[in-house]
Amino acid sequence: MIRYLSRKVVIYLVTFFVAVTIDWAIPRFMPGDPIERLLARMQAQPGSAEILNDYYTEAFGFDVPLWQQYLNFWAALFHGDLGVSIANFPTPVSELIVGALPYTLALLVPAVLLSFWAGNKVGALAARRKTLDNTVLPASYLLTATPQMWLGIVLAWVFASTLAWFPVSGAYDFSLQPAWTLEFARSFLEHWVLPFSALFLVAFGGWAIGMRNMIIYELEADYSNYLASLGAPSRLVRRYAYRNALLPQITGLALALGAVVAGALVVEIVFSYPGLGTLTLNAIQNRDYFLIQGVFLFLITGVLIANFVIDIAYVFIDPRTRVGMQGGP
Amino acid sequence: MLSVDTCCKTYRVGAFGGGELLAVRDVSFEVAPGEVVALIGESGSGKSTIGKLILRLLRVTRGSIAFDGVDISTLEGRRLKEYYGNVQGVFQDPFSSYNPIFKADRVFTMLRREYFPGLTDSEWHAKLGASLDAVSLNPGDVLHKYPHQLSGGQLQRMLIARALLLDIKLLVADEIISMLDASTRIDVLNLLGDLKSRGLGILFITHDLNLGSYISDRTMILRRGAVVELGSTERVFGNPRHPYTQSLLASVPQLHRRWSEVAPSPAASGGGGDGGPLVMVEKDHYAAAGPATTVGG
Amino acid sequence: MSLHVDGLRVYYRSLRGDVKAVDGATFDIADGEIMGLAGESGCGKSTLGKSLIRMDSRMRYVSGSVELDGRELPVWDDARMNEFRFGHVSIIPQYALSALNPTRRIGSIATDLLKARDVPVDRVLPELVRRLELVGLSEDVLHRFPIELSGGMKQRVVMVLSSLLDPSLLVADEVTSALDVSTQRAVAELLVEFRDRGFVKSMIVITHDLSVLYQIADSILVMYAGKLAEKAPADAVVHASRHPYTQLLISSLPDVGVRYEEQRLSGIPGRPPSLLDPPTGCRFRTRCPFAFDKCAEEPPFEAVGPAHAAACWKTAA
Amino acid sequence: MSAAEPRDGGVVATGAPAPRVEAPVGAPGTPAAPLTPTHRSEFLYFAFRNWKFVAGAGLVLAFLVVAIVGPMLVQHEPLEFSGPTDQPPSSEYWFGTTSFGQDVLSQFVHGLRAAFLVGAVGGGIAWLLGAAIGFTAGYRGGWLDDVLTMLTNVVLVIPTLAILIIVAAYLNVHSYATEAILIGLTSWPWAARAVRAQTFSLKTREFVDVARLSGRSTGRIIGSEIAPNMSSYLLMMFILLFGGAILIGASLDFLGLGPAESVSLGLMMNNSFLASALLLGSWWWFLPPGLGIIGVVGGLYVMNVGLDEIFNPRLREK
C-alpha cells in the first residue's frame, strides 16, 4: 500500500519537475529573442532601448550561463517569486494571480462538480429509458463537441444583450467593491450564471455519454446477472452497476481536468470575467512573459494537486486497487 | 534429445514490479527421441511456463535447457529459426491460436514464407496434403475457411499438421485437448499416439490425469513449480509415492470407481513436502523426499 | 412433490435467426434426487438449466410447461418468476467465480440481497454463518472482498448464498469445471451434502464431465443437439446405456490406467448439427453407426426400462 | 452458445467521445470485435442501418464538401474588405458581412478548410504517436514500458492547452501546419494508453505465440497480427483525435494565438467577439463558426458512436 502511494508521489513530482522545466525552457529555446520582440512592441526610442534591453536581459537572467539560470529559476520559485509582470509593472506576478484566482475557482469548481454529478445521473437514466436515450444522448454528443467560448458568446447574445436578463460582462457591478454584503453577492451571482452554464453544459455532455456506456457494460456484467437470477429487484442491480460504473468516471474526471480548466480560461475572456483567463489573455497580448509563465505554472500545480487527490481518493473508493497491491491470496 | 537442468523462472508482480513470483523451481528432466513425457499439474503449478521456456517464448531466470546438447538460450535469429524447425508447439484454445482476421490456413502460408521459400506450388501442395493426411484431415474441408467456420478438433489438428510440415523432433502440446469435447478429444490423443510410434518426441502438458496416463511413457507431477514425482507412467500411477500424487489420484473422478470407495484424500494442497530433492524410490521412479513420502518397497 | 417439465422449448436469438437450443424437453425429478445433466458443448444443457430460473436477454420461451411442487413455474414471465427465484428455485451460475460484485464485501452483498427480497436478515444471517463454517469458510469471509478469495472459496460462497433459503430446486451449472482436481472433489461432495442436509430438495447438476456426475448424481440426463437422448440412473447410463450416443461417449473417456498401446479408444466422427436449422428426424443420425431408414423419423423420448428413458428406434424396438 | 454464434472478440467499453478536448472517459479495456471478411459484409449490412453512423457521416461529408468546394466558388477573399459593413445575410452576401465589410461566407468556408486541415494533421500526428508508443509499450513490456508509461502519464496530466498557449505565444505560430503539429504532439497520451492496454491483452493471445514460432519478427507480428485486430478501434481513435484537434485549434485561435494572416473558425469567433458583435446583434457573424465546429466535430462523435454500436452488438441491443 505504501509502495503504491510512494510510486504515485514519485510520478507527480517528476511530472511537476518536467512541467517546470518546460516552463523554464520555452522562452530560452524558442526561435527568435523574446526581448527584441518585446522591445519592438514597445517601439522604444533607440536611447532607452539599450537600457530596457539590459534590464530585461538581467530580469530574464540571460546574462548568466544556462545552468545557472536554471538554478536561479528554481530558487526564485521556492521563494514564491514568479518574477515581475512587465505590463502592470512593478506588481509581482504572484500578486496578480492570487487576485484573479478566487474568480476562476468560483466558476471552475461548481462547474466541474455539478456537471459531474448531473451528467452521471442523467447518463444512468438514459441507459434505462429509450426516450431519454434518443434525446439527451444525441444532444450530449453535440454539447460535448461545442467550443465553450462559442457557447458563452451565444448565451451572452441571447440572455444578456437581447433578453437582458443577465449582465454581459464582469464579475460584479462596476459601482460595487468586493465585500461580504448581500447586495454584492446578488450582483456576483447575476454575473456568474452565464459563464457557469457555458462551462457546465459542455462538461455535462461528456459525463452523460461516458456513464451511459459504462452502466450498460456493468449491467451486462456477471454479478448483475447473478443478482437478477436470485430475484433481486432492478433497483438493487442498478445501484450496484451505477456505483461500479462511477469508478472509471472518477479517473476520467482527473484526466478531463486539464480540458475543463482550459475551457474556463476562454469562457472568462468572453465574459471578461476577472479570473486567470482574462489575466492570461492580457499577458499574451502584452507579451508579458513572466505573467504567462506564472499563470502556466499555477495551472499546472493546481491540476497536478487535483489529480493527485483524485488518485489517492480512488484507492480508498475502489477496493480492487487497494487489495491488488497486497497481491491477495 | 531435450534436457532441462535445474530450471527456475521468476515473474515480476505487484505494483511497479516490486514483488516476485517463483513460477518454476529447480525443475530437471529429459525427453528422449520418440518418447512421450506427460507433465501433469494443477493450475498455477508452472507447467505451461515450462512449456513456454522450452519453446523460447520465455527466458529462463536460472538453470539451462539444452536441445541435442546446444543451450537454447544462446540461439538468436537464424539459429533460433533452425531450432523452431526441430521443436514446435500447439496451444490450448484453438480459437485463440488463429488470428480471427485471416483464414485458418494462413498458419501454413506463414510457415511456407519463412521456411520453404524455394518450394514450387505443386511441391508445396503435395507436402501440405501429406501432413494434413497424417492428421486425417481432408484438405477440401479445412483450407480457405475462417477459424469460426471450423470445429475445435479440426483447428487443433491443423496446428499439429503445421508442426509436421517441419518434420520436427519434439512437439510441446500444452493442454491441447482440454477445450475439446470428449468425443473429438480421444481422436487427437490417438493421433499423438500414432506420431509417437513414428518417432516424434512429445511433451504432453495437461491437468487431467486420465489423459496424461493414456499416451505417456513417463510422467512428471508438478506442484507449485516443483517436481514432486517423476518416473515411468505405470509406476507413477500404479504405485504413487508422494502424498500429493496419491491425493490427486484419489480425487480424480473415474468411471470405474466411486469416490465413496476411496478414502477421502488429505487436503491435497497442504499435504506433502514442498519441493524436496528427488530421491529414487524404485527403478525409473523418483519422488520428492518428505515426511509423508513412502520411500520403502 | 418434485419438478415436472413437459415439452419445454427455449430458443436463442442470434444474428442469423433462432438457435433451437432446447427443442422439446420432457422429464421429471423426484424429491431428494440429484439429476446430472450432461452433454457436449452447444447441446443446450445450460440453456435448459437457466430457463428454469431466468431467461437472459437473448433467450426466448417458445412452448412447454414447468411444474415445481405442484405449482406452475411461469418461466415465460420474467416478472412473475421473481416470486419463485431464490426461495423456490435457485442457481449456482456457470460464471460463479465472477458472480460477486467486486467492489462490495461478501457480507454486505448478502444483507443487501436479503433486505431487497424482504427476508428477515437477523433470522437468516446466523444460518449463513453456520453454513459458511460447514463448507470450511470462517465468518471472517463476510468482511472480505471477492478479490481476496481464492477460486474454491468464491465457489463455496456462491453455493451457500444461492441455497440460503432452502430452495426446492437448485441448478448447479458447471460448478466443478473451473476448479483444480483437489477442490473439484471437495465442491462436488458439498453438493451432495447440501441435499443430504435438506438445504435443497432436488438438484440439477449441469456438466460436460460424465465421470464427475457418476460420482455424485442419482440419475443422469444426456442431451444431444437440443434434444434429450437418454435419462437413467447413473449406473445404468455408464454401464448399461441404451442410446448409441451415450455408449460412444462413455467409451471415449479414458480412465487412469487405460493405455494407448493396450486398448485403443475411439471418438465419435463428425460434428453436432447446427441448431439454426437442425435436421429432421434423429439428430444423431449422421454420426450414429446404427442409423437406418427409420431414423429419418424423430424417435420419441420414452421409457425403455425402470426409470430409464431414451430416444432411439433401436432400443425401443 | 452453438457454432452459429460467431465467436467474436470482447466488448469495447469505448470511451465515448472526449468529454472535452483531452481524454475520453473510461478508455476501453478489451479490443473491439475484429473485422473479418464475413464480418465486413455484415459490417456494411449494419452500417447503413445504423442511423447514428449514417447521420454523423453524412454531416461530416457535407461539411467536407463545403470545405473543399466552397473556397473555389466564393467571389471574395476572406479578409478582403469587399462590401458594405454589418450587412445581415442577403442574396448578394449569403452570410452577410462583418463590421469591416468582409464576406462572412468566404471566411466561413476558408475557416472550415483550415479546421479540417488542423484536424487531419493534428489528429494524424497524435494518432501515429499514440499508436507507436502504445504498441511498443504494450508489446515490449519491461523497462521500456515503464519509461513510456511514465512519459504518457506526465503529458496526460499536464493541461496541454496551457503548454500550447506558452509555446504559441513565444513561437508566434505562422501556419496551421505548425499549430496542428503542436496539437498533435500534446494530445496523444490517452490514445497511447488505450492502445497499450489492448496490445497487452492481444499479446497474450496464442496466435501471437504461433507467429513467433513461425519465425516472424516483432515488427511483422505487431503489423500483421496485433494491429489488424484493433483496426476498428484504431479507426474510432482517429475520429476522436480528429475532433479533439479541431476543438483545441479553435480555442488557440480564439486566444489570438493562431496564424494571423489567414482565417479560421476560431479566429472568426475572436474577431466577432473583439468587435462586440454580440452587443451589436450581428448574429450572422459569430453563429456560423461555432455551428461549423459543432457540425463537424459533433458529426464525427455521432458517427463514432454508430461505429461503436456496429462493432460491438452489445451496446446496440440497448
PDB file of all heavy atoms in Angstrom, chain D residues 160-176:
ATOM      1  N   THR D 160      -2.650  20.369 -21.573  1.00  0.00           N
ATOM      2  CA  THR D 160      -1.892  20.656 -22.806  1.00  0.00           C
ATOM      3  C   THR D 160      -2.225  22.044 -23.349  1.00  0.00           C
ATOM      4  O   THR D 160      -1.369  22.687 -23.931  1.00  0.00           O
ATOM      5  CB  THR D 160      -2.264  19.612 -23.879  1.00  0.00           C
ATOM      6  OG1 THR D 160      -3.689  19.429 -23.818  1.00  0.00           O
ATOM      7  CG2 THR D 160      -1.575  18.311 -23.604  1.00  0.00           C
ATOM      8  N   LEU D 161      -3.431  22.529 -23.126  1.00  0.00           N
ATOM      9  CA  LEU D 161      -3.730  23.861 -23.698  1.00  0.00           C
ATOM     10  C   LEU D 161      -2.804  24.908 -23.071  1.00  0.00           C
ATOM     11  O   LEU D 161      -2.320  25.803 -23.749  1.00  0.00           O
ATOM     12  CB  LEU D 161      -5.200  24.240 -23.425  1.00  0.00           C
ATOM     13  CG  LEU D 161      -5.658  25.469 -24.244  1.00  0.00           C
ATOM     14  CD1 LEU D 161      -5.598  25.168 -25.738  1.00  0.00           C
ATOM     15  CD2 LEU D 161      -7.039  25.913 -23.849  1.00  0.00           C
ATOM     16  N   ALA D 162      -2.478  24.723 -21.769  1.00  0.00           N
ATOM     17  CA  ALA D 162      -1.586  25.703 -21.114  1.00  0.00           C
ATOM     18  C   ALA D 162      -0.234  25.686 -21.830  1.00  0.00           C
ATOM     19  O   ALA D 162       0.331  26.742 -22.161  1.00  0.00           O
ATOM     20  CB  ALA D 162      -1.427  25.320 -19.642  1.00  0.00           C
ATOM     21  N   ILE D 163       0.259  24.485 -22.123  1.00  0.00           N
ATOM     22  CA  ILE D 163       1.562  24.410 -22.837  1.00  0.00           C
ATOM     23  C   ILE D 163       1.438  25.104 -24.185  1.00  0.00           C
ATOM     24  O   ILE D 163       2.283  25.899 -24.578  1.00  0.00           O
ATOM     25  CB  ILE D 163       1.967  22.927 -23.060  1.00  0.00           C
ATOM     26  CG1 ILE D 163       2.200  22.223 -21.732  1.00  0.00           C
ATOM     27  CG2 ILE D 163       3.191  22.859 -23.940  1.00  0.00           C
ATOM     28  CD1 ILE D 163       2.712  20.803 -21.860  1.00  0.00           C
ATOM     29  N   LEU D 164       0.346  24.784 -24.886  1.00  0.00           N
ATOM     30  CA  LEU D 164       0.190  25.339 -26.240  1.00  0.00           C
ATOM     31  C   LEU D 164       0.166  26.858 -26.182  1.00  0.00           C
ATOM     32  O   LEU D 164       0.747  27.531 -27.025  1.00  0.00           O
ATOM     33  CB  LEU D 164      -1.100  24.788 -26.866  1.00  0.00           C
ATOM     34  CG  LEU D 164      -1.044  23.296 -27.208  1.00  0.00           C
ATOM     35  CD1 LEU D 164      -2.384  22.814 -27.745  1.00  0.00           C
ATOM     36  CD2 LEU D 164       0.053  23.031 -28.230  1.00  0.00           C
ATOM     37  N   ILE D 165      -0.501  27.381 -25.136  1.00  0.00           N
ATOM     38  CA  ILE D 165      -0.570  28.851 -25.030  1.00  0.00           C
ATOM     39  C   ILE D 165       0.849  29.408 -24.960  1.00  0.00           C
ATOM     40  O   ILE D 165       1.237  30.298 -25.724  1.00  0.00           O
ATOM     41  CB  ILE D 165      -1.376  29.249 -23.772  1.00  0.00           C
ATOM     42  CG1 ILE D 165      -2.844  28.860 -23.919  1.00  0.00           C
ATOM     43  CG2 ILE D 165      -1.216  30.737 -23.469  1.00  0.00           C
ATOM     44  CD1 ILE D 165      -3.673  29.000 -22.651  1.00  0.00           C
ATOM     45  N   ILE D 166       1.649  28.816 -24.104  1.00  0.00           N
ATOM     46  CA  ILE D 166       3.015  29.346 -23.924  1.00  0.00           C
ATOM     47  C   ILE D 166       3.807  29.189 -25.217  1.00  0.00           C
ATOM     48  O   ILE D 166       4.376  30.143 -25.746  1.00  0.00           O
ATOM     49  CB  ILE D 166       3.714  28.576 -22.784  1.00  0.00           C
ATOM     50  CG1 ILE D 166       3.125  28.978 -21.452  1.00  0.00           C
ATOM     51  CG2 ILE D 166       5.220  28.786 -22.864  1.00  0.00           C
ATOM     52  CD1 ILE D 166       4.113  29.212 -20.353  1.00  0.00           C
ATOM     53  N   VAL D 167       3.769  27.982 -25.755  1.00  0.00           N
ATOM     54  CA  VAL D 167       4.598  27.720 -26.949  1.00  0.00           C
ATOM     55  C   VAL D 167       4.158  28.647 -28.077  1.00  0.00           C
ATOM     56  O   VAL D 167       4.977  29.296 -28.720  1.00  0.00           O
ATOM     57  CB  VAL D 167       4.440  26.227 -27.377  1.00  0.00           C
ATOM     58  CG1 VAL D 167       5.028  26.012 -28.755  1.00  0.00           C
ATOM     59  CG2 VAL D 167       5.077  25.321 -26.346  1.00  0.00           C
ATOM     60  N   ALA D 168       2.834  28.765 -28.246  1.00  0.00           N
ATOM     61  CA  ALA D 168       2.336  29.592 -29.356  1.00  0.00           C
ATOM     62  C   ALA D 168       2.714  31.054 -29.109  1.00  0.00           C
ATOM     63  O   ALA D 168       3.092  31.779 -30.022  1.00  0.00           O
ATOM     64  CB  ALA D 168       0.820  29.437 -29.456  1.00  0.00           C
ATOM     65  N   ALA D 169       2.664  31.473 -27.843  1.00  0.00           N
ATOM     66  CA  ALA D 169       2.988  32.881 -27.533  1.00  0.00           C
ATOM     67  C   ALA D 169       4.428  33.150 -27.951  1.00  0.00           C
ATOM     68  O   ALA D 169       4.748  34.143 -28.605  1.00  0.00           O
ATOM     69  CB  ALA D 169       2.805  33.129 -26.049  1.00  0.00           C
ATOM     70  N   TYR D 170       5.308  32.247 -27.604  1.00  0.00           N
ATOM     71  CA  TYR D 170       6.718  32.502 -27.929  1.00  0.00           C
ATOM     72  C   TYR D 170       6.984  32.239 -29.402  1.00  0.00           C
ATOM     73  O   TYR D 170       7.675  32.978 -30.072  1.00  0.00           O
ATOM     74  CB  TYR D 170       7.627  31.596 -27.081  1.00  0.00           C
ATOM     75  CG  TYR D 170       7.826  32.129 -25.687  1.00  0.00           C
ATOM     76  CD1 TYR D 170       7.094  31.631 -24.623  1.00  0.00           C
ATOM     77  CD2 TYR D 170       8.718  33.169 -25.447  1.00  0.00           C
ATOM     78  CE1 TYR D 170       7.254  32.126 -23.353  1.00  0.00           C
ATOM     79  CE2 TYR D 170       8.880  33.686 -24.171  1.00  0.00           C
ATOM     80  CZ  TYR D 170       8.146  33.172 -23.131  1.00  0.00           C
ATOM     81  OH  TYR D 170       8.302  33.680 -21.875  1.00  0.00           O
ATOM     82  N   LEU D 171       6.419  31.152 -29.869  1.00  0.00           N
ATOM     83  CA  LEU D 171       6.778  30.743 -31.226  1.00  0.00           C
ATOM     84  C   LEU D 171       6.112  31.640 -32.261  1.00  0.00           C
ATOM     85  O   LEU D 171       6.536  31.732 -33.371  1.00  0.00           O
ATOM     86  CB  LEU D 171       6.301  29.287 -31.433  1.00  0.00           C
ATOM     87  CG  LEU D 171       6.929  28.518 -32.585  1.00  0.00           C
ATOM     88  CD1 LEU D 171       8.439  28.463 -32.406  1.00  0.00           C
ATOM     89  CD2 LEU D 171       6.356  27.112 -32.667  1.00  0.00           C
ATOM     90  N   ASN D 172       5.059  32.346 -31.862  1.00  0.00           N
ATOM     91  CA  ASN D 172       4.303  33.170 -32.799  1.00  0.00           C
ATOM     92  C   ASN D 172       3.975  32.325 -34.041  1.00  0.00           C
ATOM     93  O   ASN D 172       4.479  32.543 -35.128  1.00  0.00           O
ATOM     94  CB  ASN D 172       5.142  34.395 -33.208  1.00  0.00           C
ATOM     95  CG  ASN D 172       4.195  35.511 -33.598  1.00  0.00           C
ATOM     96  OD1 ASN D 172       3.060  35.211 -34.006  1.00  0.00           O
ATOM     97  ND2 ASN D 172       4.624  36.756 -33.445  1.00  0.00           N
ATOM     98  N   VAL D 173       3.095  31.358 -33.791  1.00  0.00           N
ATOM     99  CA  VAL D 173       2.749  30.343 -34.793  1.00  0.00           C
ATOM    100  C   VAL D 173       2.425  31.005 -36.137  1.00  0.00           C
ATOM    101  O   VAL D 173       1.687  31.970 -36.183  1.00  0.00           O
ATOM    102  CB  VAL D 173       1.496  29.578 -34.302  1.00  0.00           C
ATOM    103  CG1 VAL D 173       0.944  28.702 -35.400  1.00  0.00           C
ATOM    104  CG2 VAL D 173       1.858  28.793 -33.065  1.00  0.00           C
ATOM    105  N   HIS D 174       3.017  30.480 -37.216  1.00  0.00           N
ATOM    106  CA  HIS D 174       2.825  31.165 -38.505  1.00  0.00           C
ATOM    107  C   HIS D 174       1.802  30.458 -39.366  1.00  0.00           C
ATOM    108  O   HIS D 174       1.077  31.078 -40.122  1.00  0.00           O
ATOM    109  CB  HIS D 174       4.182  31.224 -39.251  1.00  0.00           C
ATOM    110  CG  HIS D 174       5.188  31.950 -38.413  1.00  0.00           C
ATOM    111  ND1 HIS D 174       4.990  33.267 -37.995  1.00  0.00           N
ATOM    112  CD2 HIS D 174       6.346  31.540 -37.832  1.00  0.00           C
ATOM    113  CE1 HIS D 174       6.010  33.637 -37.234  1.00  0.00           C
ATOM    114  NE2 HIS D 174       6.837  32.621 -37.102  1.00  0.00           N
ATOM    115  N   SER D 175       1.784  29.140 -39.252  1.00  0.00           N
ATOM    116  CA  SER D 175       0.868  28.469 -40.199  1.00  0.00           C
ATOM    117  C   SER D 175       0.068  27.407 -39.452  1.00  0.00           C
ATOM    118  O   SER D 175       0.383  27.060 -38.308  1.00  0.00           O
ATOM    119  CB  SER D 175       1.714  27.750 -41.266  1.00  0.00           C
ATOM    120  OG  SER D 175       2.296  26.623 -40.612  1.00  0.00           O
ATOM    121  N   TYR D 176      -1.013  26.950 -40.111  1.00  0.00           N
ATOM    122  CA  TYR D 176      -1.839  25.921 -39.473  1.00  0.00           C
ATOM    123  C   TYR D 176      -1.026  24.654 -39.266  1.00  0.00           C
ATOM    124  O   TYR D 176      -1.243  23.895 -38.324  1.00  0.00           O
ATOM    125  CB  TYR D 176      -3.083  25.652 -40.322  1.00  0.00           C
ATOM    126  CG  TYR D 176      -4.066  26.777 -40.172  1.00  0.00           C
ATOM    127  CD1 TYR D 176      -4.373  27.617 -41.227  1.00  0.00           C
ATOM    128  CD2 TYR D 176      -4.604  27.060 -38.906  1.00  0.00           C
ATOM    129  CE1 TYR D 176      -5.223  28.695 -41.056  1.00  0.00           C
ATOM    130  CE2 TYR D 176      -5.440  28.140 -38.730  1.00  0.00           C
ATOM    131  CZ  TYR D 176      -5.753  28.962 -39.806  1.00  0.00           C
ATOM    132  OH  TYR D 176      -6.572  30.043 -39.636  1.00  0.00           O
TER     133      TYR D 176
END
